[in-house]
Amino acid sequence: MPTDDVPEAFHVTTDEQLRAVSSLTRHRIMAVLRFEPATITQIAERVGLAKGSSSYHVRLLERAGLVKVVRTRKVRGVTERYYAMAARSVVLPDPGEGGADVLMRHAVADLEASPADGERHVRMAHLRLTEGQFAELGARLEALADEYRELSDPSLPDVSLVFALFRPASRSQGEGGAK
């Protein structure tokens, strides 16, 4: 699929869009459509769903504007629709204090579902950074992710990269203000 006319980012701004991306099933469908278009039948096979369930979830994603029909073809008198992501990436709103972070929930679910005997690089580091260092590290991580996204080849197996750079709540906040 030519990606020249595909927008870089889709910003989730409505409740309907947030509900659409909050489902782990729809998250997996979007992962199937990340690099190449697919039909409902192909999506169902790759995600392990019945065609009817796949169709339902794809319709919700399409209604929310996250996926779109990119081509059709006639097969034995039936119109076959190929769906693709509406943008190269999906930008989720900040969940705000105490809110559930959809992106991280999906990342954890994907990590837990990945083969335990496969190669994985998972690390958590606690750092102490100046505001400038914090901003620089965030920019470098985003640039690195963008660089490797450009190198992505649809013929290769999927690899997920997730990072979260944030300032955690202070200990006194996390313990209800008690010291």
Side-chain angles (χ1 to χ4, degrees):
M1 173 174 97
T3 57
D4 296 342
D5 59 344
V6 177
E8 184 61 35
F10 181 95
H11 292 267
V12 172
T13 57
T14 69
D15 288 342
E16 177 186 27
Q17 293 166 344
L18 189 57
R19 279 191 302 276
V21 299
S22 294
S23 160
L24 287 174
T25 298
R26 290 189 285 276
H27 167 76
R28 290 189 174 106
I29 289 170
M30 290 187 296
V32 166
L33 301 175
R34 188 177 318 151
F35 293 111
E36 60 187 343
T39 65
I40 293 295
T41 301
Q42 292 167 332
I43 292 167
E45 289 170 357
R46 292 177 191 162
V47 177
L49 290 174
K51 281 174 49 174
S53 293
S54 292
S55 179
Y56 167 78
H57 288 291
V58 169
R59 277 196 317 271
L60 288 176
L61 289 167
E62 184 179 25
R63 196 174 320 138
L66 292 152
V67 303
K68 63 182 180 178
V69 175
V70 293
R71 73 174 181 265
T72 60
R73 71 179 190 146
K74 287 278 190 188
V75 178
R76 295 184 288 280
V78 176
T79 301
E80 195 171 57
R81 291 176 181 82
Y82 284 81
Y83 295 88
M85 292 297 298
R88 291 185 181 137
S89 64
V90 175
V91 179
L92 299 172
D94 187 321
E97 187 174 339
D101 190 308
V102 172
L103 175 65
M104 295 311 292
R105 281 197 345 250
H106 289 226
V108 169
D110 283 351
L111 178 61
E112 289 172 343
S114 71
D117 59 349
E119 183 177 6
R120 301 195 282 188
H121 302 272
V122 179
R123 179 175 180 186
M124 182 171 185
H126 297 280
L127 312 170
R128 292 184 179 226
L129 304 173
T130 66
E131 288 295 325
Q133 291 168 327
F134 183 87
E136 178 188 352
L137 180 56
R140 286 176 62 190
L141 289 169
E142 290 176 10
L144 191 60
D146 291 343
E147 176 186 338
Y148 277 86
R149 187 175 54 217
E150 290 298 320
L151 297 173
S152 291
D153 180 342
S155 67
L156 297 173
D158 277 352
V159 172
S160 291
L161 169 66
V162 178
F163 62 86
L165 179 64
F166 58 94
R167 295 192 185 284
S170 68
R171 286 211 168 108
S172 62
Q173 287 176 323
E175 297 169 0
K179 290 190 178 183

